[in-house]
Amino acid sequence: MLTIDLTAEDLTRLRVSARPDPMWDVVLSLHLLQNRQAAIAFDPWRSQVRARVVETGLARTVAALARLAPWASYFPDFLTPTPTDLGSGSATPVEVAVDRVASTPRQRLTRELAVTFPAGPPSWVRRIASGEAEAMRWLAGALRRYHDVAVAPYAPATGVAVAADQVARDAALRRGGVQGLMGSFDPLLRRVDDGTWAGRYPVTRALPLRGRPLTVIPSVFCVLAPVALADEALDPALVYPVAPAPGWLACADAVDGERPPVAHLIGPTRARVLEVLDVGRTTTALARVLDLTPATASRHATVLREAGLVSSQRQGNCVVHTRTPLGDALLGGHLA
């Protein structure tokens, strides 16, 4: 069980992310490849990812990453650096997150990998633990490539689930303030007495805040129970599960390793933008669904609008983008 003492002041400092964090999604998806949890929702994803891993020649790389991030009571915290830009509502780009991992101080690498490998790390892990430049470049590249295969292709589907969760959290916040927001996490996290919240966890532990803000992060790849950083000296973060919708893989950009034909013409990211604009979305919502920065989402929408594939209408302080009939025809391959 996990317990968190939240004073009134702690609640005012609570930081709830509107989007997943790429490194947490990397680590938690690696865990899902090592277990059979949530089989109905994730077995099709497991089959697709394992096939892509073989097709792309990443089998040994992913096996090594799984050893670095084992599905166990402990995995190294340096693989999941707490985001620092959640308050801005912009995404934490994968490149920035990977660079932060690769910049971990040597002392921390050595300490955390010693806990991960109590009987002594293998030679290739010792090179990472020593902060060797070539080993850290390998780690950064491995994390990027794995993200490209196992996480990024599913961003439209996972983004829809997270966006729906965010709507529910926002509604709870409007109805009941921060206490209402915290109550919306029941049964994952329940108030057991005045100021103390408890939830399911693999081991018994407390999450002390000591006046620091608690960062709460959603993830579709987190299942059954929240996950927290192990080192209590680090800025506290709690990742909570977001259940994907039934048949969520049907919304993914790459089912069975294929992209829509239009992706070859306008590029995979703009094809994804075009796909999710079957309903009107603001620039911010579009960024959330596709795990893009608002500036990037706006740029792609502008290019598609100038091509006549998307229409954009201002509604108050927001701009709402929608796919046009021409965009429908291009996406469906029905252009004469």
Side-chain angles (χ1 to χ4, degrees):
M1 175 175 288
L2 175 72
T3 58
I4 309 173
D5 289 332
L6 287 167
T7 66
E9 291 78 12
D10 290 328
L11 289 174
T12 65
R13 289 188 287 263
L14 189 68
R15 304 171 70 212
V16 181
S17 173
R19 62 181 68 253
D21 175 76
M23 287 301 99
W24 274 108
D25 278 357
V26 162
V27 169
L28 294 173
S29 64
L30 280 167
H31 290 174
L32 287 175
L33 290 178
Q34 299 173 60
N35 61 43
R36 286 296 309 279
Q37 290 181 336
I40 293 176
F42 283 98
D43 272 358
W45 171 86
R46 290 183 178 98
S47 296
Q48 290 183 17
V49 170
R50 285 169 179 153
R52 285 198 191 95
V53 165
V54 173
E55 291 168 3
T56 54
L58 290 176
R60 293 182 63 182
T61 296
V62 173
L65 290 177
R67 291 196 67 188
L68 280 176
W71 180 54
S73 59
Y74 179 85
F75 57 88
D77 288 325
F78 78 85
L79 291 173
T80 53
T82 303
T84 58
D85 61 350
L86 296 179
S88 67
S90 61
T92 303
V94 176
E95 291 294 327
V96 173
V98 168
D99 287 346
R100 292 185 64 197
V101 172
S103 300
T104 305
R106 176 181 173 179
Q107 287 184 338
R108 181 176 173 188
L109 293 170
T110 302
R111 180 177 67 252
E112 294 185 5
L113 289 173
V115 178
T116 309
F117 298 89
S123 59
W124 64 275
V125 175
R126 287 199 298 270
R127 295 173 62 193
I128 294 174
S130 67
E132 183 180 317
E134 183 179 350
M136 298 310 291
R137 283 194 295 270
W138 173 87
L139 177 59
L143 292 170
R144 292 188 191 98
R145 289 192 294 273
Y146 174 77
H147 185 275
D148 288 345
V149 167
V151 178
Y154 302 92
T158 57
V160 167
V162 170
D165 177 83
Q166 185 67 23
V167 169
R169 304 298 171 199
D170 289 345
L173 181 63
R174 289 195 300 272
R175 287 194 305 267
V178 180
Q179 290 283 358
L181 172 64
M182 289 298 300
S184 72
F185 289 103
D186 190 343
L188 295 172
L189 202 63
R190 288 179 171 172
R191 186 172 181 176
V192 293
D193 57 42
D194 189 25
T196 300
W197 299 75
R200 180 178 177 182
Y201 208 72
V203 296
T204 299
R205 64 164 294 191
L207 181 59
L209 302 185
R210 305 191 189 102
R212 300 168 299 176
L214 173 64
T215 300
V216 183
I217 306 167
S219 177
V220 167
F221 297 103
C222 181
V223 298
L224 301 182
V227 183
L229 294 169
D231 188 346
E232 296 178 358
L234 299 172
D235 290 339
L238 186 69
V239 181
Y240 68 91
V242 174
W248 67 284
L249 288 185
C251 301
D253 183 39
V255 176
D256 293 330
E258 296 180 0
R259 294 184 183 275
V262 70
H264 299 290
L265 177 64
I266 64 175
T269 301
R270 285 176 188 158
R272 288 162 55 198
V273 171
L274 203 57
E275 282 186 311
V276 301
L277 289 182
D278 55 333
V279 297
R281 299 183 190 274
T282 64
T283 302
T284 300
L286 182 62
R288 286 178 181 173
V289 167
L290 297 180
D291 195 19
L292 303 171
T293 64
T296 300
S298 177
R299 184 167 63 252
H300 286 307
T302 299
V303 172
L304 294 172
R305 181 177 67 249
E306 291 173 348
L309 304 176
V310 165
S311 66
S312 302
Q313 302 293 329
R314 179 165 292 280
Q315 296 182 6
N317 294 327
C318 301
V319 176
V320 178
H321 311 286
T322 311
R323 198 168 64 220
T324 64
L326 180 61
D328 292 338
L330 181 62
L331 189 63
H334 304 310
L335 280 178

